[in-house]
Amino acid sequence: MTDTLTYPDVVSLAVPFFIAAILIEFFWIRLSGRGGRYETRDALTSLIMGAGNVASGIALGFVAWGFFMVLWEITPFDLGSSWWVVLLCFVLDDLRYYWVHRFGHRIRWVWASHVNHHSSQHYNLTTALRQTWTYTFTFMMVVRAPLILMGFHPALVLFCGGLNLIYQFWIHTEAIGRMPRWFEAIMNTPSHHRAHHGRNPRYLDCNYAGVFIIWDKMFGTFVPEQDDEKVDYGLVHNLGTFNPLRVAFHEWVGIFRDVTQRGLTLRERLMYAVAPPGWSHDGSRDGSDRIKAKHLEHFPEKRGTPGFR
């Protein structure tokens, strides 16, 4: 089997592009007065989160790589590295990303890692860099296991994952409206991803795609951005801080506090970790489903429109 297959670290190679694109977007907004807004402290927090993500990847990357190589040693398959294998791996890894992203919104343990990406109340290219420091602890690396067991080399899988992340960078902007209709129908775009970052009841838990929006359309999670409902960015309950440490760890602290409450059953403690965000043993909090339901009580005319069943 191929053990020495290597691919470039495409995310690191793309850093100059990220910086250049951020500067272009910043000056475009300043000069045109359109396309979003930059807030210095918010952008700086996003950049610090991005740097922390790189540092955590360097420090803890051996965990996922070691796991992947164990799988590679036991699988009898080796698909090689021809162009069609790379293309197939890219598509399947994007499907993997869809489910990891969906788990990240529906399982609190995974949300604790992903929530920082949604914590900005602004939406610009620096938001794309507001990444987790704690992904390793979600154990979502296991979702890549089927790809490796199918015969895709771990280096190829990580290479495709890097390409996926690079694609997602440019969709974090308000400076681009809608793309051509055919493109919007197949690919994830700034319009689709703006909806994903919305805290409006309509936009909660939608558009999990990385590259191909077709996954959301296949699995019933697609909500188009509405011209008559501007996206309100951020969390249902915004943090009100630019402290990177709080941004990175606040939900983990919240889980610990909830799990260690007195008088809970073992099941209730477990549910505080694995149930959707907003779950509570006494019903005192609202998850996304309940938020949507309450919104429809006030606006019943929205029932059956995008984002509302």
Side-chain angles (χ1 to χ4, degrees):
M1 298 180 69
T2 305
D3 292 320
T4 58
L5 191 64
T6 59
Y7 288 89
D9 182 355
V10 288
V11 176
S12 295
L13 294 176
V15 168
F17 160 74
F18 294 161
I19 296 172
I22 289 171
L23 291 174
I24 291 171
E25 181 191 44
F26 174 77
F27 286 112
W28 163 257
I29 292 172
R30 289 293 297 271
L31 295 174
S32 69
R34 296 182 288 113
R37 179 171 176 262
Y38 269 77
E39 204 283 337
T40 302
R41 293 172 298 173
D42 178 81
L44 182 59
T45 299
S46 294
L47 294 175
I48 293 173
M49 295 302 299
N53 175 262
V54 172
S56 67
I58 293 172
L60 299 173
F62 72 93
V63 177
W65 180 254
F67 173 64
F68 296 154
M69 290 308 296
V70 168
L71 297 177
W72 184 246
E73 289 297 324
I74 65 175
T75 182
F77 306 112
D78 184 351
L79 296 177
S81 58
S82 59
W83 69 267
W84 69 267
V85 172
V86 176
L87 179 60
L88 180 59
C89 184
F90 181 79
V91 173
L92 293 179
D93 184 69
D94 191 54
L95 176 59
R96 181 275 318 172
Y97 178 87
Y98 169 88
W99 283 106
V100 168
H101 198 180
R102 188 166 176 173
F103 294 155
H105 283 254
R106 303 301 296 167
I107 301 172
R108 192 182 180 195
W109 185 268
V110 191
W111 173 245
S113 173
H114 182 59
V115 62
N116 66 82
H117 182 62
H118 285 264
S119 61
S120 175
Q121 294 176 246
H122 301 280
Y123 193 74
N124 53 57
L125 291 177
T126 65
T127 307
L129 304 182
R130 187 177 284 228
Q131 296 293 331
T132 179
W133 297 356
T134 58
Y135 179 78
T136 299
F137 303 105
T138 67
F139 311 116
M140 284 294 100
M141 67 187 77
V142 301
V143 184
R144 275 193 165 120
L147 291 175
I148 296 168
L149 294 174
M150 288 168 60
F152 295 104
H153 192 281
L156 173 58
V157 173
L158 294 180
F159 172 71
C160 290
L163 294 177
N164 194 300
L165 292 177
I166 290 173
Y167 179 89
Q168 291 184 57
F169 174 78
W170 76 280
I171 63 178
H172 289 82
T173 185
E174 292 185 285
I176 298 174
R178 285 186 172 84
M179 306 297 290
R181 183 175 298 179
W182 68 266
F183 196 86
E184 294 277 349
I186 301 172
M187 308 299 290
N188 199 8
T189 65
S191 177
H192 298 328
H193 205 59
R194 283 193 291 269
H196 173 73
H197 274 258
R199 62 195 291 266
N200 320 47
R202 179 189 303 278
Y203 297 131
L204 294 177
D205 296 340
C206 75
N207 301 359
Y208 299 115
V211 175
F212 301 111
I213 199 66
I214 55 175
W215 308 126
D216 285 282
K217 295 181 177 181
M218 287 175 59
F219 299 117
T221 53
F222 175 66
V223 177
E225 181 184 27
Q226 303 295 296
D227 292 331
D228 60 351
E229 186 169 346
K230 182 176 174 58
V231 179
D232 182 15
Y233 302 109
L235 303 173
V236 171
H237 303 290
N238 284 315
L239 294 179
T241 181
F242 297 106
N243 184 332
L245 292 176
R246 187 175 174 199
V247 172
F249 299 112
H250 74 276
E251 190 67 11
W252 293 108
V253 173
I255 290 176
F256 178 80
R257 288 175 176 169
D258 287 337
V259 168
T260 57
Q261 291 180 78
R262 293 182 178 180
L264 298 183
T265 65
L266 181 60
R267 179 184 180 278
E268 288 170 340
R269 297 184 195 281
L270 179 64
M271 290 294 285
Y272 269 117
V274 301
W279 183 91
S280 59
H281 72 284
D282 57 2
S284 61
R285 306 176 192 175
D286 291 341
S288 60
D289 293 341
R290 198 164 167 185
I291 291 171
K292 287 175 181 282
K294 286 186 174 181
H295 188 76
L296 287 177
E297 291 176 4
H298 294 284
F299 303 97
E301 69 277 7
K302 292 185 179 181
R303 188 177 300 277
T305 63
F308 298 110
R309 297 175 182 175

